Amino acid sequence: MPLVATGSIVEPAVRDRRGVGAFNVIQLEHAEAIVAGAERAGAPVILQISENAVRYHGALTPIGRAALAVARDASVPVALHLDHVTSTDLVREGVELGFGSVMFDASALDYEANVQATAAVVARCHAEGVWVEAELGEIGGKDGVHAAGARTDPGEAAAFVESTGVDALAVAVGSSHAMLTRDAVLDLDLIAGIARAVPVPLVLHGSSGVADDNLAAAVRHGMTKINIATHLNKAFTAAVRTCLREDDHLVDTRRYLGAGRTAVTDEVARLLGVLGSA
Ligand code: G3H
Ligand code: ZN
């Protein structure tokens, strides 16, 4: 199964009320694990690379090409997405490299400036056949502060989609980025209200802080693309920590990174079941 367009995974899922797992890639092992988990679940999946991860590597191309190669060899549909991008140069680079979609994050700007900046990116990306996600109502936690109080207004969301032409919208409904506990409480009525008002797929960010039953409920109420990063890093790091604790003489990086990769594969397969992705 070749690399596919993001819309070809997300749009049928909206129709069938299935969730789509969108998992963040930092190291090559993440990409390998996420695709292996999706293959085990028999579900499509989105690999996403954030601007922060690009900053960590110092460039998009090496990790981007690695993720593209893993996606192209998968036996399930895999899409490649650039996540939380604020730099228009990085958007252009991703499009040139073959990313099928971009989340342009102008959510820190006021409404009018967000509309203007996002609409300009949409025009450029659509000319290249690239799908664009944007965010309205800044979802907390991007600066490490867990502020889950932000809420997106359904009417404003509909107007934002109309004015910008975005293909998907990230909304603030009670989650917050980078949570280590899974006790965020989602506003399910608000999700249903936004889904009724907005004609494009909805995206849940900060999903690591949301428990399984709440994730499944979010999908039932109209959420489709479910972004998960921290939760997989918790699984990865716990496995590495155990491995290193058990053997003081261990130096082969494949032994402990391999344990992390296996833990992420298991968790991705399980989460895709929770989201009803298959
Ligand atoms: O865009 C990525 C996600 O929103 C991930 O958030 O690390 O809280 O799961 P998380
Ligand atoms: Zn996010």
Side-chain angles (χ1 to χ4, degrees):
M1 182 76 62
L3 177 74
V4 301
T6 307
S8 77
I9 293 179
V10 177
E11 277 141 26
V14 175
R15 198 187 49 227
D16 304 343
R17 284 275 160 126
R18 283 183 285 109
V20 172
F23 301 105
N24 285 69
V25 170
I26 304 174
Q27 277 82 34
L28 170 62
E29 282 80 1
H30 287 97
E32 294 168 335
I34 293 161
V35 167
E39 287 174 335
R40 190 187 298 165
V45 78
I46 298 172
L47 299 179
Q48 49 188 23
I49 299 177
S50 72
E51 185 170 284
N52 280 340
V54 172
R55 203 171 291 135
Y56 164 76
H57 286 290
L60 173 63
T61 303
I63 187 67
R65 285 217 172 117
L68 279 162
V70 173
R72 287 190 176 117
D73 280 350
S75 63
V76 291
V78 180
L80 201 56
H81 178 80
L82 260 187
D83 191 33
H84 285 292
V85 179
T86 59
S87 151
T88 51
D89 284 348
L90 184 56
V91 171
R92 191 174 26 76
E93 223 185 303
V95 170
E96 282 168 8
L97 210 56
F99 281 63
S101 56
V102 165
M103 186 247 188
F104 183 65
D105 186 353
S107 63
L109 303 180
D110 65 34
Y111 181 83
E112 283 307 331
N114 187 347
V115 167
Q116 224 177 357
T118 304
V121 167
V122 168
R124 263 175 276 136
C125 284
H126 282 184
E128 304 290 333
V130 168
W131 198 85
V132 180
E133 172 188 330
E135 177 173 327
L136 183 64
E138 193 182 11
I139 300 156
K142 281 181 272 192
D143 51 3
V145 181
H146 298 164
R151 292 290 182 274
T152 299
D153 174 74
E156 195 170 70
F160 182 84
V161 169
E162 168 87 32
S163 313
T164 56
V166 291
D167 304 287
L169 188 66
V171 291
V173 293
S175 60
S176 185
H177 285 91
M179 285 179 67
L180 298 179
T181 53
R182 301 180 82 205
D183 53 3
V185 180
L186 296 182
D187 189 336
L188 297 173
D189 290 339
L190 180 59
I191 294 173
I194 301 172
R196 275 193 300 274
V198 167
V200 297
L202 299 182
V203 184
L204 185 67
H205 281 247
S207 310
S208 294
V210 183
D212 288 352
D213 55 345
N214 223 355
L215 286 176
V219 171
R220 281 199 307 278
H221 284 75
M223 196 60 82
T224 302
K225 177 172 175 274
I226 308 294
N227 286 11
I228 301 176
T230 304
H231 181 74
L232 294 188
N233 285 335
K234 268 169 63 185
F236 195 116
T237 304
V240 170
R241 196 171 273 133
T242 303
C243 211
L244 292 175
R245 197 185 288 128
E246 278 169 359
D247 184 353
D248 275 349
H249 303 290
L250 175 58
V251 292
D252 185 338
T253 58
R254 289 169 294 193
R255 292 271 305 283
Y256 58 86
L257 293 179
R261 183 176 58 186
T262 300
V264 171
T265 298
D266 293 346
E267 194 51 15
V268 165
R270 198 191 69 76
L271 284 167
L272 291 173
V274 169
L275 301 178
S277 297

